[in-house]
mmCIF file of all heavy atoms in Angstrom:
data_model
loop_
_atom_site.group_PDB
_atom_site.id
_atom_site.type_symbol
_atom_site.label_atom_id
_atom_site.label_comp_id
_atom_site.label_asym_id
_atom_site.label_seq_id
_atom_site.Cartn_x
_atom_site.Cartn_y
_atom_site.Cartn_z
ATOM 1 N N GLY A 14 -3.367 17.947 -12.225
ATOM 2 C CA GLY A 14 -4.399 18.967 -12.521
ATOM 3 C C GLY A 14 -3.933 20.351 -12.023
ATOM 4 O O GLY A 14 -2.978 20.464 -11.284
ATOM 5 N N PRO A 15 -4.577 21.374 -12.535
ATOM 6 C CA PRO A 15 -4.131 22.757 -12.212
ATOM 7 C C PRO A 15 -4.284 23.184 -10.710
ATOM 8 O O PRO A 15 -3.688 24.095 -10.289
ATOM 9 C CB PRO A 15 -5.018 23.632 -13.065
ATOM 10 C CG PRO A 15 -6.206 22.813 -13.407
ATOM 11 C CD PRO A 15 -5.704 21.380 -13.481
ATOM 12 N N ASP A 16 -5.083 22.356 -10.006
ATOM 13 C CA ASP A 16 -5.185 22.630 -8.518
ATOM 14 C C ASP A 16 -4.358 21.664 -7.671
ATOM 15 O O ASP A 16 -4.444 21.689 -6.496
ATOM 16 C CB ASP A 16 -6.661 22.493 -8.155
ATOM 17 C CG ASP A 16 -7.176 21.038 -8.327
ATOM 18 O OD1 ASP A 16 -6.647 20.350 -9.218
ATOM 19 O OD2 ASP A 16 -8.144 20.689 -7.639
ATOM 20 N N GLY A 17 -3.488 20.830 -8.384
ATOM 21 C CA GLY A 17 -2.641 19.943 -7.615
ATOM 22 C C GLY A 17 -3.224 18.534 -7.483
ATOM 23 O O GLY A 17 -2.602 17.698 -6.852
ATOM 24 N N THR A 18 -4.424 18.320 -7.999
ATOM 25 C CA THR A 18 -5.061 17.023 -7.955
ATOM 26 C C THR A 18 -4.328 16.072 -8.864
ATOM 27 O O THR A 18 -3.910 16.472 -9.956
ATOM 28 C CB THR A 18 -6.519 17.112 -8.304
ATOM 29 O OG1 THR A 18 -7.228 17.859 -7.387
ATOM 30 C CG2 THR A 18 -7.150 15.728 -8.385
ATOM 31 N N CYS A 19 -4.250 14.784 -8.485
ATOM 32 C CA CYS A 19 -3.652 13.744 -9.351
ATOM 33 C C CYS A 19 -4.802 13.084 -10.097
ATOM 34 O O CYS A 19 -5.769 12.540 -9.488
ATOM 35 C CB CYS A 19 -2.902 12.718 -8.521
ATOM 36 S SG CYS A 19 -2.127 11.394 -9.440
ATOM 37 N N TYR A 20 -4.721 13.077 -11.439
ATOM 38 C CA TYR A 20 -5.629 12.259 -12.251
ATOM 39 C C TYR A 20 -4.919 11.025 -12.782
ATOM 40 O O TYR A 20 -3.743 11.074 -13.091
ATOM 41 C CB TYR A 20 -6.124 13.117 -13.469
ATOM 42 C CG TYR A 20 -7.050 14.173 -13.082
ATOM 43 C CD1 TYR A 20 -6.651 15.462 -12.592
ATOM 44 C CD2 TYR A 20 -8.482 14.059 -13.225
ATOM 45 C CE1 TYR A 20 -7.563 16.425 -12.245
ATOM 46 C CE2 TYR A 20 -9.396 14.953 -12.863
ATOM 47 C CZ TYR A 20 -8.931 16.169 -12.431
ATOM 48 O OH TYR A 20 -9.851 17.114 -12.024
ATOM 49 N N VAL A 21 -5.607 9.938 -12.784
ATOM 50 C CA VAL A 21 -5.018 8.626 -13.063
ATOM 51 C C VAL A 21 -5.662 8.100 -14.367
ATOM 52 O O VAL A 21 -6.833 7.787 -14.372
ATOM 53 C CB VAL A 21 -5.296 7.626 -11.888
ATOM 54 C CG1 VAL A 21 -4.627 6.274 -12.281
ATOM 55 C CG2 VAL A 21 -4.748 8.156 -10.579
ATOM 56 N N ALA A 22 -4.825 8.071 -15.432
ATOM 57 C CA ALA A 22 -5.315 7.637 -16.777
ATOM 58 C C ALA A 22 -4.767 6.231 -17.043
ATOM 59 O O ALA A 22 -3.598 5.965 -16.721
ATOM 60 C CB ALA A 22 -4.868 8.589 -17.851
ATOM 61 N N HIS A 23 -5.590 5.353 -17.587
ATOM 62 C CA HIS A 23 -5.080 4.035 -18.030
ATOM 63 C C HIS A 23 -4.164 4.166 -19.178
ATOM 64 O O HIS A 23 -4.459 4.919 -20.153
ATOM 65 C CB HIS A 23 -6.284 3.123 -18.385
ATOM 66 C CG HIS A 23 -5.868 1.773 -18.784
ATOM 67 N ND1 HIS A 23 -6.188 1.281 -20.065
ATOM 68 C CD2 HIS A 23 -5.180 0.839 -18.111
ATOM 69 C CE1 HIS A 23 -5.673 -0.003 -20.154
ATOM 70 N NE2 HIS A 23 -5.102 -0.282 -18.971
ATOM 71 N N TYR A 24 -3.017 3.497 -19.158
ATOM 72 C CA TYR A 24 -2.032 3.527 -20.248
ATOM 73 C C TYR A 24 -2.625 2.739 -21.412
ATOM 74 O O TYR A 24 -2.957 1.553 -21.316
ATOM 75 C CB TYR A 24 -0.736 2.867 -19.769
ATOM 76 C CG TYR A 24 0.361 2.837 -20.842
ATOM 77 C CD1 TYR A 24 1.277 3.889 -20.978
ATOM 78 C CD2 TYR A 24 0.454 1.797 -21.741
ATOM 79 C CE1 TYR A 24 2.339 3.874 -21.906
ATOM 80 C CE2 TYR A 24 1.439 1.763 -22.705
ATOM 81 C CZ TYR A 24 2.381 2.767 -22.785
ATOM 82 O OH TYR A 24 3.401 2.739 -23.696
ATOM 83 N N LEU A 25 -2.781 3.385 -22.557
ATOM 84 C CA LEU A 25 -3.359 2.817 -23.736
ATOM 85 C C LEU A 25 -2.257 2.184 -24.562
ATOM 86 O O LEU A 25 -1.268 2.848 -25.001
ATOM 87 C CB LEU A 25 -4.115 3.826 -24.583
ATOM 88 C CG LEU A 25 -5.290 4.520 -23.853
ATOM 89 C CD1 LEU A 25 -5.821 5.702 -24.695
ATOM 90 C CD2 LEU A 25 -6.362 3.553 -23.525
ATOM 91 N N ALA A 26 -2.361 0.856 -24.820
ATOM 92 C CA ALA A 26 -1.323 0.135 -25.516
ATOM 93 C C ALA A 26 -1.580 -0.068 -26.977
ATOM 94 O O ALA A 26 -0.900 0.397 -27.836
ATOM 95 C CB ALA A 26 -1.069 -1.210 -24.827
ATOM 96 N N ARG A 27 -2.660 -0.790 -27.280
ATOM 97 C CA ARG A 27 -2.976 -1.230 -28.652
ATOM 98 C C ARG A 27 -4.434 -1.564 -28.780
ATOM 99 O O ARG A 27 -5.105 -1.720 -27.776
ATOM 100 C CB ARG A 27 -2.073 -2.328 -29.138
ATOM 101 C CG ARG A 27 -2.215 -3.587 -28.220
ATOM 102 C CD ARG A 27 -1.393 -4.753 -28.698
ATOM 103 N NE ARG A 27 -1.826 -5.098 -30.070
ATOM 104 C CZ ARG A 27 -1.103 -5.906 -30.846
ATOM 105 N NH1 ARG A 27 0.095 -6.410 -30.432
ATOM 106 N NH2 ARG A 27 -1.493 -6.181 -32.054
ATOM 107 N N TYR A 28 -4.855 -1.698 -29.991
ATOM 108 C CA TYR A 28 -6.250 -2.156 -30.274
ATOM 109 C C TYR A 28 -6.299 -3.666 -29.871
ATOM 110 O O TYR A 28 -5.439 -4.471 -30.269
ATOM 111 C CB TYR A 28 -6.553 -2.016 -31.720
ATOM 112 C CG TYR A 28 -7.924 -2.511 -32.139
ATOM 113 C CD1 TYR A 28 -9.005 -1.676 -32.079
ATOM 114 C CD2 TYR A 28 -8.135 -3.838 -32.606
ATOM 115 C CE1 TYR A 28 -10.280 -2.114 -32.449
ATOM 116 C CE2 TYR A 28 -9.344 -4.260 -32.977
ATOM 117 C CZ TYR A 28 -10.435 -3.421 -32.892
ATOM 118 O OH TYR A 28 -11.687 -3.825 -33.254
ATOM 119 N N THR A 29 -7.255 -4.067 -29.037
ATOM 120 C CA THR A 29 -8.269 -3.373 -28.363
ATOM 121 C C THR A 29 -7.750 -2.961 -26.927
ATOM 122 O O THR A 29 -6.860 -3.620 -26.374
ATOM 123 C CB THR A 29 -9.535 -4.190 -28.174
ATOM 124 O OG1 THR A 29 -9.206 -5.377 -27.437
ATOM 125 C CG2 THR A 29 -10.105 -4.564 -29.511
ATOM 126 N N ASP A 30 -8.401 -1.917 -26.314
ATOM 127 C CA ASP A 30 -8.009 -1.500 -25.018
ATOM 128 C C ASP A 30 -9.202 -0.729 -24.451
ATOM 129 O O ASP A 30 -10.149 -0.479 -25.076
ATOM 130 C CB ASP A 30 -6.758 -0.679 -25.037
ATOM 131 C CG ASP A 30 -5.893 -0.885 -23.792
ATOM 132 O OD1 ASP A 30 -6.435 -1.209 -22.705
ATOM 133 O OD2 ASP A 30 -4.672 -0.699 -23.822
ATOM 134 N N PHE A 31 -9.075 -0.320 -23.167
ATOM 135 C CA PHE A 31 -10.095 0.606 -22.576
ATOM 136 C C PHE A 31 -9.450 1.879 -22.129
ATOM 137 O O PHE A 31 -8.312 1.954 -21.685
ATOM 138 C CB PHE A 31 -10.766 -0.084 -21.423
ATOM 139 C CG PHE A 31 -9.910 -0.361 -20.196
ATOM 140 C CD1 PHE A 31 -9.868 0.588 -19.183
ATOM 141 C CD2 PHE A 31 -9.168 -1.495 -20.036
ATOM 142 C CE1 PHE A 31 -9.023 0.357 -18.031
ATOM 143 C CE2 PHE A 31 -8.423 -1.774 -18.922
ATOM 144 C CZ PHE A 31 -8.326 -0.830 -17.967
ATOM 145 N N ASP A 32 -10.220 2.966 -22.351
ATOM 146 C CA ASP A 32 -9.744 4.307 -22.023
ATOM 147 C C ASP A 32 -10.423 4.704 -20.646
ATOM 148 O O ASP A 32 -11.670 4.536 -20.521
ATOM 149 C CB ASP A 32 -10.177 5.240 -23.090
ATOM 150 C CG ASP A 32 -9.350 6.538 -23.071
ATOM 151 O OD1 ASP A 32 -8.469 6.696 -22.157
ATOM 152 O OD2 ASP A 32 -9.558 7.422 -23.967
ATOM 153 N N SER A 33 -9.680 5.294 -19.787
ATOM 154 C CA SER A 33 -10.212 5.604 -18.490
ATOM 155 C C SER A 33 -9.368 6.742 -17.834
ATOM 156 O O SER A 33 -8.144 6.718 -17.957
ATOM 157 C CB SER A 33 -10.179 4.394 -17.570
ATOM 158 O OG SER A 33 -10.558 4.657 -16.244
ATOM 159 N N ILE A 34 -10.036 7.668 -17.209
ATOM 160 C CA ILE A 34 -9.311 8.653 -16.425
ATOM 161 C C ILE A 34 -10.151 8.904 -15.130
ATOM 162 O O ILE A 34 -11.370 9.061 -15.250
ATOM 163 C CB ILE A 34 -9.020 9.990 -17.185
ATOM 164 C CG1 ILE A 34 -8.225 10.959 -16.262
ATOM 165 C CG2 ILE A 34 -10.299 10.634 -17.622
ATOM 166 C CD1 ILE A 34 -7.582 12.123 -17.032
ATOM 167 N N GLN A 35 -9.442 8.895 -13.996
ATOM 168 C CA GLN A 35 -10.144 9.011 -12.685
ATOM 169 C C GLN A 35 -9.445 9.992 -11.859
ATOM 170 O O GLN A 35 -8.235 10.228 -12.043
ATOM 171 C CB GLN A 35 -10.151 7.649 -12.007
ATOM 172 C CG GLN A 35 -11.010 6.614 -12.731
ATOM 173 C CD GLN A 35 -10.865 5.201 -12.255
ATOM 174 O OE1 GLN A 35 -9.864 4.548 -12.509
ATOM 175 N NE2 GLN A 35 -11.851 4.741 -11.469
ATOM 176 N N LYS A 36 -10.190 10.617 -10.985
ATOM 177 C CA LYS A 36 -9.712 11.661 -10.111
ATOM 178 C C LYS A 36 -9.235 11.026 -8.814
ATOM 179 O O LYS A 36 -10.039 10.262 -8.192
ATOM 180 C CB LYS A 36 -10.768 12.713 -9.844
ATOM 181 C CG LYS A 36 -10.308 13.992 -9.104
ATOM 182 C CD LYS A 36 -11.412 14.981 -9.023
ATOM 183 C CE LYS A 36 -11.002 16.243 -8.298
ATOM 184 N NZ LYS A 36 -12.081 17.277 -8.293
ATOM 185 N N ALA A 37 -8.039 11.295 -8.346
ATOM 186 C CA ALA A 37 -7.471 10.762 -7.157
ATOM 187 C C ALA A 37 -7.193 11.826 -6.104
ATOM 188 O O ALA A 37 -7.938 12.787 -6.036
ATOM 189 C CB ALA A 37 -6.269 9.870 -7.444
ATOM 190 N N GLY A 38 -6.125 11.721 -5.386
ATOM 191 C CA GLY A 38 -5.758 12.634 -4.327
ATOM 192 C C GLY A 38 -4.812 13.704 -4.758
ATOM 193 O O GLY A 38 -4.871 14.215 -5.917
ATOM 194 N N THR A 39 -3.859 14.052 -3.948
ATOM 195 C CA THR A 39 -2.813 15.093 -4.250
ATOM 196 C C THR A 39 -1.771 14.473 -5.146
ATOM 197 O O THR A 39 -1.240 13.375 -4.910
ATOM 198 C CB THR A 39 -2.223 15.686 -2.932
ATOM 199 O OG1 THR A 39 -3.328 16.207 -2.201
ATOM 200 C CG2 THR A 39 -1.263 16.776 -3.277
ATOM 201 N N TYR A 40 -1.297 15.267 -6.154
ATOM 202 C CA TYR A 40 -0.198 14.824 -7.013
ATOM 203 C C TYR A 40 1.059 14.532 -6.224
ATOM 204 O O TYR A 40 1.410 15.327 -5.303
ATOM 205 C CB TYR A 40 0.084 15.859 -8.071
ATOM 206 C CG TYR A 40 0.897 15.262 -9.238
ATOM 207 C CD1 TYR A 40 0.289 14.438 -10.188
ATOM 208 C CD2 TYR A 40 2.247 15.496 -9.361
ATOM 209 C CE1 TYR A 40 1.022 13.938 -11.246
ATOM 210 C CE2 TYR A 40 3.010 15.011 -10.373
ATOM 211 C CZ TYR A 40 2.360 14.170 -11.339
ATOM 212 O OH TYR A 40 3.099 13.661 -12.331
ATOM 213 N N PRO A 41 1.717 13.398 -6.390
ATOM 214 C CA PRO A 41 2.798 13.028 -5.513
ATOM 215 C C PRO A 41 4.015 14.000 -5.634
ATOM 216 O O PRO A 41 4.173 14.592 -6.707
ATOM 217 C CB PRO A 41 3.257 11.599 -5.976
ATOM 218 C CG PRO A 41 2.637 11.522 -7.353
ATOM 219 C CD PRO A 41 1.394 12.370 -7.382
ATOM 220 N N PRO A 42 4.809 14.080 -4.620
ATOM 221 C CA PRO A 42 5.928 15.094 -4.631
ATOM 222 C C PRO A 42 7.166 14.573 -5.321
ATOM 223 O O PRO A 42 8.239 14.546 -4.794
ATOM 224 C CB PRO A 42 6.222 15.277 -3.099
ATOM 225 C CG PRO A 42 5.831 13.942 -2.503
ATOM 226 C CD PRO A 42 4.675 13.421 -3.313
ATOM 227 N N TRP A 43 6.965 14.141 -6.587
ATOM 228 C CA TRP A 43 8.110 13.631 -7.312
ATOM 229 C C TRP A 43 8.743 14.708 -8.208
ATOM 230 O O TRP A 43 9.687 14.454 -8.934
ATOM 231 C CB TRP A 43 7.595 12.510 -8.276
ATOM 232 C CG TRP A 43 7.276 11.297 -7.488
ATOM 233 C CD1 TRP A 43 7.772 10.880 -6.281
ATOM 234 C CD2 TRP A 43 6.351 10.246 -7.830
ATOM 235 N NE1 TRP A 43 7.206 9.720 -5.894
ATOM 236 C CE2 TRP A 43 6.396 9.286 -6.817
ATOM 237 C CE3 TRP A 43 5.558 10.022 -9.014
ATOM 238 C CZ2 TRP A 43 5.568 8.148 -6.868
ATOM 239 C CZ3 TRP A 43 4.764 8.910 -9.059
ATOM 240 C CH2 TRP A 43 4.790 7.954 -8.002
ATOM 241 N N GLY A 44 8.158 15.884 -8.263
ATOM 242 C CA GLY A 44 8.700 17.030 -8.995
ATOM 243 C C GLY A 44 8.398 18.299 -8.207
ATOM 244 O O GLY A 44 8.061 18.297 -7.039
ATOM 245 N N VAL A 45 8.453 19.414 -8.957
ATOM 246 C CA VAL A 45 8.044 20.686 -8.327
ATOM 247 C C VAL A 45 6.596 20.658 -8.009
ATOM 248 O O VAL A 45 5.824 20.059 -8.755
ATOM 249 C CB VAL A 45 8.436 21.853 -9.343
ATOM 250 C CG1 VAL A 45 7.966 23.161 -8.693
ATOM 251 C CG2 VAL A 45 9.868 21.802 -9.624
ATOM 252 N N ALA A 46 6.202 21.208 -6.913
ATOM 253 C CA ALA A 46 4.778 21.210 -6.504
ATOM 254 C C ALA A 46 3.899 21.791 -7.589
ATOM 255 O O ALA A 46 4.273 22.820 -8.144
ATOM 256 C CB ALA A 46 4.620 21.969 -5.205
ATOM 257 N N PRO A 47 2.767 21.194 -7.957
ATOM 258 C CA PRO A 47 1.883 21.772 -8.972
ATOM 259 C C PRO A 47 1.471 23.209 -8.639
ATOM 260 O O PRO A 47 1.243 23.551 -7.510
ATOM 261 C CB PRO A 47 0.679 20.836 -8.866
ATOM 262 C CG PRO A 47 1.158 19.564 -8.312
ATOM 263 C CD PRO A 47 2.246 19.933 -7.356
ATOM 264 N N GLY A 48 1.619 24.054 -9.678
ATOM 265 C CA GLY A 48 1.204 25.453 -9.541
ATOM 266 C C GLY A 48 2.462 26.311 -9.405
ATOM 267 O O GLY A 48 2.395 27.545 -9.528
ATOM 268 N N ASP A 49 3.616 25.716 -8.986
ATOM 269 C CA ASP A 49 4.806 26.492 -8.849
ATOM 270 C C ASP A 49 5.809 26.157 -9.957
ATOM 271 O O ASP A 49 6.670 25.232 -9.848
ATOM 272 C CB ASP A 49 5.488 26.226 -7.452
ATOM 273 C CG ASP A 49 4.594 26.615 -6.282
ATOM 274 O OD1 ASP A 49 3.785 27.587 -6.529
ATOM 275 O OD2 ASP A 49 4.634 25.969 -5.268
ATOM 276 N N GLY A 50 5.731 26.926 -11.011
ATOM 277 C CA GLY A 50 6.682 26.711 -12.166
ATOM 278 C C GLY A 50 6.279 25.562 -12.963
ATOM 279 O O GLY A 50 6.939 24.573 -13.079
ATOM 280 N N TRP A 51 5.127 25.679 -13.665
ATOM 281 C CA TRP A 51 4.615 24.545 -14.474
ATOM 282 C C TRP A 51 5.620 24.130 -15.545
ATOM 283 O O TRP A 51 5.681 22.991 -15.881
ATOM 284 C CB TRP A 51 3.315 24.932 -15.149
ATOM 285 C CG TRP A 51 2.104 24.777 -14.220
ATOM 286 C CD1 TRP A 51 1.383 25.717 -13.550
ATOM 287 C CD2 TRP A 51 1.510 23.499 -13.809
ATOM 288 N NE1 TRP A 51 0.429 25.180 -12.847
ATOM 289 C CE2 TRP A 51 0.412 23.815 -12.980
ATOM 290 C CE3 TRP A 51 1.780 22.121 -14.139
ATOM 291 C CZ2 TRP A 51 -0.395 22.789 -12.440
ATOM 292 C CZ3 TRP A 51 0.941 21.194 -13.594
ATOM 293 C CH2 TRP A 51 -0.114 21.501 -12.727
ATOM 294 N N ASP A 52 6.347 25.100 -16.115
ATOM 295 C CA ASP A 52 7.237 24.691 -17.273
ATOM 296 C C ASP A 52 8.428 23.870 -16.776
ATOM 297 O O ASP A 52 9.087 23.236 -17.553
ATOM 298 C CB ASP A 52 7.707 25.920 -18.029
ATOM 299 C CG ASP A 52 6.562 26.475 -18.768
ATOM 300 O OD1 ASP A 52 5.640 25.771 -19.200
ATOM 301 O OD2 ASP A 52 6.561 27.752 -19.027
ATOM 302 N N GLU A 53 8.726 23.950 -15.450
ATOM 303 C CA GLU A 53 9.872 23.099 -14.968
ATOM 304 C C GLU A 53 9.387 21.806 -14.358
ATOM 305 O O GLU A 53 10.162 20.960 -14.071
ATOM 306 C CB GLU A 53 10.647 23.925 -13.924
ATOM 307 C CG GLU A 53 11.363 25.139 -14.450
ATOM 308 C CD GLU A 53 10.484 26.285 -14.830
ATOM 309 O OE1 GLU A 53 9.490 26.510 -14.091
ATOM 310 O OE2 GLU A 53 10.648 26.959 -15.847
#
């Protein structure tokens, strides 16, 4: 998210499935910190 929050969405595979998105904690440090250079 734009404030650094991690949103967790269910991976949609095929018909039938369930759609879900939930708000979690801070986005993990696997890339550049959210907010600092979004394009990279």
Side-chain angles (χ1 to χ4, degrees):
D16 63 336
T18 296
C19 181
Y20 287 82
V21 182
H23 180 240
Y24 180 94
L25 299 173
R27 58 177 299 166
Y28 179 87
T29 58
D30 213 333
F31 67 92
D32 199 1
S33 172
I34 183 165
Q35 294 169 283
K36 188 175 182 180
T39 301
Y40 196 76
W43 289 334
V45 179
D49 297 331
W51 276 106
D52 287 333
E53 292 75 38

